[in-house]
Amino acid sequence: MASTVYSFYSFALQTGNEPPVALAAPMSQHAVMGSIIKLDGRNSYDPEGASLTYTWTFLEVPSGSELNNTSFDDLADGGQVVSFTPDVTGLYRAQLVVNDGQFDSAPYGVVAYVQPAMVPVCSDIIPDARFLLRTIS
């Protein structure tokens, strides 16, 4: 008599830790000298929900600028929201990388274009505060 052998196999899929995703806003902004540039990385996330650390770096600053990676001011605990004050006109490129304790995200780049503030000069006319506010903000 032939015997039948039954074999049962059990498989469990294990998902590993996926890298976090860096997102920053605004991606591109225009400003004038004297403005404060604010960068917000609070939309960054980790697929598994792990807490994140935030690292902001400059990729490019205009010639003559003295800003470096320590020039970011932390506006929220942990670097989620940072700012910097441009010191010369030109193009500023920065990037955000988040880490979940195991992996770094892909870098997310942001750009700020800084132009000189154009305020009219005339000896007998003084611009009102509303005009100045619209010009520098």
Side-chain angles (χ1 to χ4, degrees), residues 72-134:
F72 291 105
D73 294 318
D74 190 359
L75 301 179
D77 288 336
Q80 294 176 336
V81 181
V82 298
S83 69
F84 69 93
T85 304
D87 56 350
V88 296
T89 59
L91 175 68
Y92 293 80
R93 290 185 192 275
Q95 77 175 11
L96 170 63
V97 173
V98 294
N99 182 287
D100 64 1
Q102 186 175 3
F103 294 112
D104 283 342
S105 68
Y108 191 92
V110 294
V111 177
Y113 302 95
V114 179
Q115 301 169 336
M118 303 303 261
V119 178
V121 177
C122 185
S123 62
D124 58 345
I125 298 175
I126 300 172
D128 69 3
R130 288 176 294 183
F131 173 80
L132 289 174
L133 184 59
R134 283 192 307 267

Side-chain angles (χ1 to χ4, degrees), residues 35-64:
S35 298
I36 296 173
I37 306 293
K38 180 179 166 187
L39 304 173
D40 188 343
R42 289 180 289 192
N43 287 331
S44 301
Y45 65 93
D46 180 69
E48 293 81 35
S51 62
L52 299 173
T53 57
Y54 297 77
T55 305
W56 295 90
T57 54
F58 282 110
L59 298 176
E60 179 183 348
V61 295
S63 178

Side-chain angles (χ1 to χ4, degrees), residues 14-47:
Q14 261 188 341
T15 58
N17 184 15
E18 293 184 39
V21 176
L23 296 171
M27 189 172 173
S28 175
Q29 59 184 303
H30 294 268
V32 295
M33 280 299 298
S35 298
I36 296 173
I37 306 293
K38 180 179 166 187
L39 304 173
D40 188 343
R42 289 180 289 192
N43 287 331
S44 301
Y45 65 93
D46 180 69

Side-chain angles (χ1 to χ4, degrees), residues 2-23:
S3 66
T4 304
V5 177
Y6 294 97
S7 298
F8 295 97
Y9 297 97
S10 175
F11 295 97
L13 294 176
Q14 261 188 341
T15 58
N17 184 15
E18 293 184 39
V21 176
L23 296 171

